[in-house]
Amino acid sequence: MLSVDSVSASYGNLRVLWDVSMSAEAGEIVSIIGANGAGKSTLLKSIMGLVRTQGGEIVFEGTRVNGVAPHTLVAMGIAYVPEGRRLFPEMTVRENLRMGAPRRCPEVNERLKFVQDLFPVLEERRFQLVMTLSGGEQQMVAIGRALMAKPKMLLLDEPSLGLSPIAFEKVIGAIEKINREGVAVLLAEQSSERAMEISDRTYVLENGRVAGSGLSDELLHDPMVRLAYLGVGT
Ligand SMILES: Nc1ncnc2c1ncn2[C@@H]1O[C@H](COP(=O)(O)OP(=O)(O)OP(=O)(O)O)[C@@H](O)[C@H]1O
Ligand SMILES: [Mg+2]
């Protein structure tokens, strides 16, 4: 469904991705783990057309998408939840959700229902200002807004950021449910263990390079990965 082949990216003279290759198939949850500054967010931004890439190729459903504008990618079926959520805090839950739907979208009510069935709390709080929601609820709004575009693939950047373990668990449950509805998920996470537990495959980024990849189950039990990325001994 999505393939990234030998893609590099820089900020000015600072190169942060080096020949990164990865893929995600329909129906999969794929996690991207790595330390602070490893390049997880830059990889998602590169896919989403928010960072210009050098060399290589990004292909979504058979179409080369390097340099394609973010709104075109959304229309093609890729939705993105940025790190830090980037909501409109002084607008209501409902208004924020509507922002995620295309203009003059005839299915907007149907999509709102899908999101509110997934996150019933957002239905209860539909007229509440986003700034008054808890962190977990705000993350649900951010994911809900992305789902309003009816994506085939969802890119999630660090959904655990600022959340309590309990709130993050709710988000994890929602990610699994979204995936069961047929949406492929690319999940960049520093809370690597949970991300790996719910994903089919994992890519480990280290200093902008893919340092390892494989079935999440296998990597989770790999002593090297456990020590280096999960901070636990064997
Ligand atoms: N807009 C920017 N301008 C310059 N350098 C940047 C910019 N954004 C990121 N970088 C640098 O690129 C590198 C990779 O950053 P990136 O945000 O992709 O890492 P990350 O893996 O998402 O980290 P984190 O876990 O902290 O979110 C870092 O060294 C960072 O300082
Ligand atoms: Mg990041």
Side-chain angles (χ1 to χ4, degrees):
M1 184 174 220
L2 173 76
S3 79
V4 174
D5 184 23
S6 240
V7 162
S8 298
S10 309
Y11 296 106
N13 290 329
L14 177 72
R15 190 157 173 191
V16 298
L17 291 183
W18 305 75
D19 294 323
V20 170
S21 297
M22 53 88 46
S23 66
E25 299 308 323
E28 274 194 313
I29 300 182
V30 172
S31 55
I32 299 166
I33 67 166
N36 278 123
K40 303 179 296 295
S41 297
T42 304
L43 175 56
L44 295 195
K45 286 178 190 166
S46 299
I47 295 168
M48 208 55 213
L50 296 163
V51 163
R52 197 180 321 158
T53 55
Q54 290 127 21
E57 199 171 48
I58 303 174
V59 175
F60 181 68
E61 293 200 306
T63 305
R64 184 186 155 104
V65 294
N66 304 48
V68 168
H71 68 269
T72 307
L73 292 167
V74 173
M76 290 174 74
I78 311 184
Y80 168 63
V81 181
E83 187 174 310
R85 308 189 264 274
R86 307 289 165 82
L87 295 166
F88 298 95
E90 291 176 15
M91 292 169 67
T92 65
V93 167
R94 177 63 61 87
E95 286 164 341
N96 271 272
L97 291 178
R98 281 176 182 277
M99 294 280 187
R103 266 174 222 273
R104 292 185 293 276
C105 170
E107 297 172 30
V108 69
N109 288 328
E110 191 184 304
R111 294 185 190 185
L112 275 173
K113 187 174 177 320
F114 175 78
V115 171
Q116 289 170 351
D117 286 347
L118 185 67
F119 300 120
V121 66
L122 298 187
E123 165 76 14
E124 281 163 34
R125 294 173 183 249
R126 60 194 181 279
F127 300 126
Q128 195 167 323
L129 298 186
V130 157
M131 59 195 271
T132 65
L133 298 179
S134 72
E137 289 161 353
Q138 291 190 22
Q139 187 63 53
M140 291 174 196
V141 176
I143 294 173
R145 180 178 62 180
L147 292 174
M148 290 294 289
K150 212 176 183 179
K152 299 173 189 169
M153 176 172 278
L154 186 60
L155 312 188
L156 289 170
D157 195 353
E158 213 83 54
S160 70
L161 196 72
L163 300 192
S164 67
I166 292 175
F168 183 46
E169 272 316 302
K170 286 191 185 153
V171 170
I172 286 282
I175 293 169
E176 292 186 292
K177 200 164 160 194
I178 291 162
N179 179 250
R180 284 198 298 273
E181 300 278 344
V183 180
V185 176
L186 194 55
L187 174 62
E189 254 302 338
Q190 270 196 61
S191 297
S192 325
E193 190 156 13
R194 281 309 274 137
M196 290 170 81
E197 280 165 1
I198 65 156
S199 60
D200 300 290
R201 292 187 300 114
T202 294
Y203 290 87
V204 181
L205 275 188
E206 199 177 282
N207 297 322
R209 291 184 168 87
V210 176
S213 65
L215 294 175
S216 300
D217 260 354
E218 289 176 9
L219 289 180
L220 259 174
H221 297 106
D222 180 328
M224 278 283 290
V225 171
R226 292 189 71 78
L227 196 60
Y229 299 100
L230 306 177
V232 284
T234 56

